[in-house]
Every structure is written in C-alpha cells, then in structure tokens.
Amino acid sequence: MQERIIQFLKESDGYISGEEMSQRLKMSRAAIWKHMQELRAQGYEITAVPHLGYQLMACPEKLLSFEIQSGLNTKIIGKKIIVLDTVTSTMDEAFRLGNENCPEGTVVCAEAQSKGRGRLGRAWTSPKSKGLYFSLVLRPSLPLNQLAQLTLMSAVALAEAIESISDLRPLIKWPNDLLLENHKLAGILTELRAESDQVKFVVIGIGLNVNASAHQLTEGASSLRIAAGKSFNRTEIFQAILRSLEQGYAKLLRHEFAQIIEEWKKRSATLKKRVRITDPSGIIEGEAIDLDEDGALLIRRDNGLVIKKTAGDVFLLR
Ligand code: BTN
C-alpha cells in the first residue's frame, strides 16, 4: 500500500488532498495519515498543509533492484539482483544463495550490515544507505591457485567504475584496497566454497563508502562524498561497477589477466614503496618491486633477496 501512496504523491502535481486519496485508495483518512507517518520514518519528506493535503518533497535514496537493472545490459553480472534492508553480512546471504545454486552473476546487496566483515577478521563499517555493500556469486572454471586474479580484477573494475562517474582517481593498495589520499575508500573480500580442490563458487564482497561522512566511518577511511565534496547517486555507481566487473570477468575468462595486471600497476599505491607486510608467518620489510604474472607481490628485502607474497597485510612505510 505504501508503494501506491508514493506513486500517487509522485504523480500528483503539487498537493493532493487526504479526501481524494482516501476515495481513490479506498481507505480512511486516518489510515492514510498513519501511512504518511510510517513513510516519513523511512526517510520520505512529506509536507501536510490543512485544506491542501499532502505533498512529496524528497525521497530517501533507496536501492531498488529494478532501477539497478534497468539499462544495465550485462550478460552475467547482475542478471539477478537482490536488495535487502539490514543483514548481518551480504557474504552470508551470498553463500546461502550459492549453496542453493543461484545463477552465476547473482548480486546481493544491503542498505546496512550489522556484521559486515573485511579481510583478516576485521569489521566493515556499513552505515545505513550511505554506501554500497554487496556480494557477487561467480562460478569460474579457474584453479584454486588462480583465484587471486578475481580479486585483482575486481579492484581494477571498481577503480575504473569510480573514474568513470567522478573526477576521482583511486589508487590500489595490494592486494585490493582502494585508497583516496591514503584513506581507505573501498575494500574487497573474496571467499569461496570448494570441495576436494574444486571450486564450487566464489563470492566477491565489495564495500564502497559513497555518501558517508567521516564520523560515520572508522578512522582512516574516506568516502566519495568526503573526497569530492558532493553526494553521489548510488544506483548510477552500482551500475557502473557491475558493468565494469562484467568486462573484467570477460577478460579473465579470455585469459587476458596480463592486461588486468597492467591496469592494476597503473593505479598501484604499493609498487616502488617501502612496505612492511605481515602474515601468519611473520613480518617482513623491503621494497615492493613488482607483481608477478599471478598477482603475487614481489618484495626485495634489504639483503637483496626477493620474496613473493600471495597474501598478507601491507603497511606503506614511505
Ligand atoms: C576489506 O577491506 O577488508 C574487505 C571489505 C569488504 C566489505 C564488503 S561489504 C559487502 C560484503 N559483505 C561483507 O560483510 N563484507 C563485504
């Protein structure tokens, strides 16, 4: 019913009286008033003036799957899009869908996450309707040791999408953090289900801070709005990201990972920097000199030895 009320308000030129609404929607004026209160609580700005009626002044910026899908024109990514309100983590939802054999390219996103998660057991702060928090289910026929390609591809796709809708030029901190002026703008988490070395499906989780202000984020994080000084339409960005992921995924399936590595290197915040990298095997320091053909980071230690890292947490030293 609330959708119909919104539709009415959107279609009416100026005010629409409570009486007219009550007749057309076949409900009492008191019931209409109650719906208006609920809509206001959801973020709709509705003014009510005696003798004139109601007028819709502004809508909350909500993600709607039909809006995201309209004009998307992708073949795989986003063929099915599920938009939820608040979830623990879209990763949990995506795993459930993956186990239920959802089609490849299914995307599940949420307005908020109560337990959004990041790499290495960290939390992902997900203020309501201020960012894009989504997980994508893929079923690639890649061997387990090449799955890092998907993560690097996603980071490049995300950076390219942001470049296409703004003047911002995010850099990528290995393996897949997007930075703006050294502050974290977006993160990517890749998880998978495999059975006896065979990948059943992969879930790529992406968190992008869009319209959040600094106090809504953790220290050291940024958002498109903070960096650009203006708000962004999340649906447009979402579409740009899904299109970009579609292109990147097609490249991977055509075994064109070398091209993705080149794009990654152009945006690197890590290469040619002194870094400290921690992983369960310990801490090493040195200069990040290159990525190898699988996307592993090559670090030259002070004793000249070159070490290859396929995972870990990088601190940029200078
Ligand atoms: C990281 O930077 O460590 C990765 C962050 C990934 C966050 C996204 S938000 C959507 C999806 N759901 C989650 O719980 N995490 C990912």
Side-chain angles (χ1 to χ4, degrees), residues 69 75-82 93-108 135-140 200-203 249:
Q69 241 154 0
K75 290 202 171 71
I76 302 177
I77 313 289
K79 286 312 274 183
K80 179 169 179 182
I81 299 179
I82 299 164
E93 300 296 325
F95 267 89
R96 197 175 48 70
L97 293 161
N99 285 327
E100 287 167 4
N101 278 326
C102 67
E104 174 166 64
T106 296
V107 169
V108 55
S135 298
L136 163 67
V137 181
L138 292 177
R139 302 180 188 279
K200 290 279 170 203
F201 59 85
V202 179
V203 174
Y249 190 48

Side-chain angles (χ1 to χ4, degrees), residues 89-91 113 115-119 124 132-135 177 184 186-189 205-207:
S89 160
T90 58
M91 300 304 278
Q113 301 182 111
K115 283 196 184 137
R117 58 182 187 258
R119 289 171 64 236
W124 183 261
L132 288 174
Y133 319 116
F134 68 95
S135 298
D177 284 353
K184 184 154 166 174
I188 300 169
L189 177 68
I206 297 186

Side-chain angles (χ1 to χ4, degrees), residues 49 55 59 70 81 95 98 107 117 140 163 166 168 180 206 209 225 227 241 251 269 283 286 292 294 316:
V49 176
Q55 188 174 14
C59 297
S70 88
I81 299 179
F95 267 89
V107 169
R117 58 182 187 258
E163 290 162 12
S166 72
L168 301 169
L180 276 175
I206 297 186
N209 300 323
R225 177 167 164 235
I241 297 171
K251 275 189 196 155
I283 301 178
D292 77 0
D294 294 323
L316 302 175

Side-chain angles (χ1 to χ4, degrees), residues 44-155:
Y44 289 91
E45 267 179 52
I46 301 166
T47 50
V49 176
H51 310 299
L52 282 176
Y54 299 101
Q55 188 174 14
L56 181 63
M57 310 305 281
C59 297
E61 202 227 328
K62 281 214 168 169
L63 294 170
L64 300 166
S65 60
F66 81 89
E67 272 187 8
I68 302 163
Q69 241 154 0
S70 88
L72 191 59
N73 286 331
T74 51
K75 290 202 171 71
I76 302 177
I77 313 289
K79 286 312 274 183
K80 179 169 179 182
I81 299 179
I82 299 164
V83 180
L84 301 169
D85 189 59
T86 303
V87 294
T88 50
S89 160
T90 58
M91 300 304 278
D92 300 338
E93 300 296 325
F95 267 89
R96 197 175 48 70
L97 293 161
N99 285 327
E100 287 167 4
N101 278 326
C102 67
E104 174 166 64
T106 296
V107 169
V108 55
C109 70
E111 292 288 354
Q113 301 182 111
S114 57
K115 283 196 184 137
R117 58 182 187 258
R119 289 171 64 236
L120 310 163
R122 298 199 177 109
W124 183 261
T125 306
S126 319
K128 189 157 193 170
S129 305
K130 297 289 176 190
L132 288 174
Y133 319 116
F134 68 95
S135 298
L136 163 67
V137 181
L138 292 177
R139 302 180 188 279
S141 50
L142 285 176
L144 267 177
N145 62 354
Q146 282 174 23
L147 286 181
Q149 296 188 359
L150 274 176
T151 316
L152 265 62
M153 177 282 282
S154 306

Side-chain angles (χ1 to χ4, degrees), residues 275-308:
V275 297
R276 180 182 301 137
I277 178 157
T278 49
D279 71 4
S281 67
I283 301 178
I284 64 157
E285 244 182 70
E287 191 193 340
I289 52 171
D290 207 356
L291 285 194
D292 77 0
E293 68 281 0
D294 294 323
L297 185 63
L298 302 179
I299 299 164
R300 184 165 47 226
R301 301 190 70 170
D302 297 341
N303 61 9
L305 207 66
V306 175
I307 295 199
K308 174 172 155 172

